[in-house]
Amino acid sequence: MKLALLAALVGLSFAGSLMTGKSVVPLSAWFSDDPRWWIILQLRLPRAVLGLALGAVLGLSGAVLQGYLRNPLADPGVVGVSSAAALGAVTAIVAGVATGAGVFAAAIVAAAGAMALLAALTWRSDGTVTFVLAGTVLASLAGALTAFVISVAPNPYAVAEVMDWLMGALTDRGWGDVALAGPPMAAGATLLLLTARSLDALSLGEAAARSLGVDLGRTRGLVVAGTGLAVGAGVAATGVIGFVGLIVPHLLRPVFGARPGALLVPSALGGAVLVLVADALVRLVPGAGEVRLGVAMALIGAPFFLMLLLRSRGEAWR
Amino acid sequence: MALIVHRLSVRLGTRAILRDVSARFEAGRVTAILGPNGAGKSTLVKAMAALVTASGSVTLDGAAIGDMDPRARARAIGYLPQDAVVHWNMPAREVVALGRLPHRRASVAPSALDAVAIDRAMAATDTATLAMRPVGELSGGERARVLLARVLAGEPRWLLADEPLASLDPAHQIDLLARLQAHAQGGAGVIVVLHDLVQAARAADDVLLLKDGGVLAFGPVATVLTPALLEQAFGVRVAMLDEGGRRLPVPVGRIDR
């Protein structure tokens, strides 16, 4: 029932996304020969599809990371996985990889690598401090390396383009991007959904989870490959859009319960709603250009993160 | 029905945690594992749950536990870790339901069969009235009972509990041990790491006394919890207190060496 309601919200925000933009397309022009229908079909529809998919994988991977690391502050952006994916993509672009598939592969490999590193660094440690520090180090290292790669890039035109892309947006994404990003995102999401049972068991801690028959090596493999594929492909298509995976599971936990496995599907749906709505709102902001979606999410997400950190301080910063 | 530990050794780096431990645990009995800090009690229990790599063997009804399918092993052996935690603030009943995971394939709602086992475990631990309460809001004693219910819900033939009495007041200690005894009377084997000599003498049928990673003594409670053996194991003088047909050892002083 609650899930159906959330799914309906996804549908509504998808429709809303199609109807929102700088130019007004009246409903009478839909499904007609009107050239404005072309705007919907070739510009807004791929943008909405990509937003839906991106929001879903970001919400899902946030929920999986929180369950896996047993930490409510986890999110692919916060822990540096998104920054690593951006590093991979930027390196590939600057190194002259011409094909979209090559850039995607580089982003996916870098994201999976960062996730594996983070899992190794924070494993056996339930402390918030270790975790936030490890994530911060990863994120700033990836950020610094990205800046380095950009500064040694030979082509100034490419630099401007990369900087623009890094800010994260769904603007002007077409069916080509959907075709490239769709399959790895779907594959990653499937792997992530397979972790539900293990995540439930992990709420009792590592030893108890193993005593319940959970293979933690397999779980880690699924999390690393799943976040790598889903987040890597997402970042390669849209740039870094953070905080979705942080905010969504938090808002949904009071509604769907705290059991990690029960939060996965709702978080995917909730992430889709959040990104679709945010992406529609940035188009409505007056001005010549658009507020970048990544920038807008960071403006909402960073204070949210701070609030969570302050609230969890009492129990976690011992 | 027996859980047999044969020449079990565990090394951590260069340090030997357990050396050549052999013991045969019988179902239907409560066995207390006692010993000073660092004697290897927790490691022994973990090795019996196949949670640490060990040389030697642990066999359950003739099958080596290391060779068993993990889920089949999880159905046979329930393990309650030391300082057991619940990371998310779930309702108590959902925590207990996690004990049914080895009986299910996916993260789905519990089946009718699961629900029966969950209800039974919650009734046995007197936690049915807590079912909808978030675990974060429970008292220490209530949480300990919920976590015990979590293990019982899996209906394991063997229950390994690592210091379940820690942080419980005397009333809750007696209460929890009574529930472990009841589980053993139902035919299961119960192996429990304890610190409190008096509680061990009250509740256990057998005692395994560990020191420096080796077995100092193993047998019926009356033959192991003697002043001489306890002095040797813990370096304390004990006074024996007669209470309801049991002789309870009370530590009264340290032995100067």
Side-chain angles (χ1 to χ4, degrees), chain B residues 3-41:
Chain B
L3 186 62
I4 299 167
V5 174
H6 182 63
R7 303 205 60 186
L8 195 74
S9 296
V10 175
R11 303 188 69 83
L12 201 69
T14 55
R15 207 161 73 88
I17 309 286
L18 286 178
R19 297 170 231 227
D20 257 353
V21 172
S22 296
R24 181 192 166 93
F25 301 92
E26 296 293 340
R29 296 175 77 82
V30 175
T31 305
I33 299 179
L34 293 173
N37 293 335
K41 304 182 292 292

Side-chain angles (χ1 to χ4, degrees), chain A residues 7 9-18 20 44-56 170 244 268-283 293 297:
Chain A
L9 265 178
V10 175
L12 274 178
S13 27
F14 189 83
S17 174
L18 290 183
T20 315
R44 291 191 192 166
L45 191 57
R47 180 176 185 162
V49 168
L50 199 60
L52 178 105
L54 179 78
L170 290 166
V244 176
L269 296 177
V273 172
L274 180 61
V275 168
L276 285 171
V277 169
D279 185 49
L281 288 179
V282 295
R283 274 178 272 173
L293 181 58
M297 284 313 304

Side-chain angles (χ1 to χ4, degrees), chain A residues 170-184:
Chain A
L170 290 166
T171 319
D172 300 335
R173 299 302 192 270
W175 287 113
D177 296 287
V178 173
L180 268 175

Side-chain angles (χ1 to χ4, degrees), chain A residues 144-173:
Chain A
L145 285 173
T146 306
F148 173 77
V149 169
I150 290 173
S151 56
V152 299
N155 180 350
Y157 178 70
V159 169
E161 203 177 12
V162 162
M163 299 286 277
D164 188 52
W165 167 82
L166 263 182
M167 282 195 280
L170 290 166
T171 319
D172 300 335
R173 299 302 192 270

Side-chain angles (χ1 to χ4, degrees), chain B residues 13-257:
Chain B
T14 55
R15 207 161 73 88
I17 309 286
L18 286 178
R19 297 170 231 227
D20 257 353
V21 172
S22 296
R24 181 192 166 93
F25 301 92
E26 296 293 340
R29 296 175 77 82
V30 175
T31 305
I33 299 179
L34 293 173
N37 293 335
K41 304 182 292 292
S42 293
T43 307
L44 176 57
V45 169
K46 279 188 188 155
M48 285 192 278
L51 296 175
V52 292
T53 28
S55 62
S57 69
V58 179
T59 49
L60 177 64
D61 303 336
I65 57 160
D67 299 339
M68 291 171 76
D69 166 65
R71 292 206 313 143
R73 183 173 60 222
R75 286 193 292 268
I77 303 175
Y79 170 69
L80 185 60
Q82 193 175 353
D83 305 322
V85 287
V86 183
H87 286 281
W88 302 102
N89 200 12
M90 296 181 255
R93 196 170 199 281
E94 284 200 27
V95 175
V96 176
L98 294 178
R100 295 300 293 174
L101 281 177
H103 298 264
R104 290 188 271 144
R105 276 231 159 263
S107 171
V108 291
S111 69
L113 196 69
D114 291 330
V116 170
I118 293 165
D119 289 338
R120 196 183 295 142
M122 297 193 83
T125 51
D126 209 6
T127 49
T129 52
L130 308 175
M132 293 306 152
R133 298 257 309 273
V135 279
E137 294 169 15
L138 301 181
S139 73
E142 289 170 335
R143 186 156 55 241
R145 297 210 308 271
V146 167
L147 286 166
L148 177 63
R150 190 280 290 172
V151 184
L152 295 182
E155 300 175 319
R157 284 176 286 142
W158 290 87
L159 197 165
L160 313 181
D162 195 351
E163 291 200 33
L165 304 188
S167 78
L168 293 186
D169 62 38
H172 284 115
Q173 294 191 352
I174 290 170
D175 187 57
L176 197 79
L177 282 174
R179 295 178 203 283
L180 292 179
Q181 285 176 295
H183 192 57
Q185 272 151 22
V190 173
I191 299 169
V192 52
V193 174
L194 293 176
H195 254 306
D196 191 315
L197 301 180
V198 175
Q199 296 305 342
R202 276 189 55 252
D205 300 305
D206 299 316
V207 172
L208 174 69
L209 196 54
L210 281 180
K211 192 183 185 193
D212 298 332
V215 178
L216 191 64
F218 182 39
V221 61
T223 65
V224 178
L225 294 185
T226 63
L229 278 170
L230 292 173
E231 190 176 299
Q232 200 184 336
F234 293 96
V236 293
R237 272 188 305 120
V238 297
M240 300 303 282
L241 179 77
D242 280 305
E243 170 65 41
R246 291 223 176 203
R247 304 200 71 212
L248 311 179
V250 182
V252 290
R254 227 188 135 89
I255 290 169
D256 297 319
R257 333 186 167 192

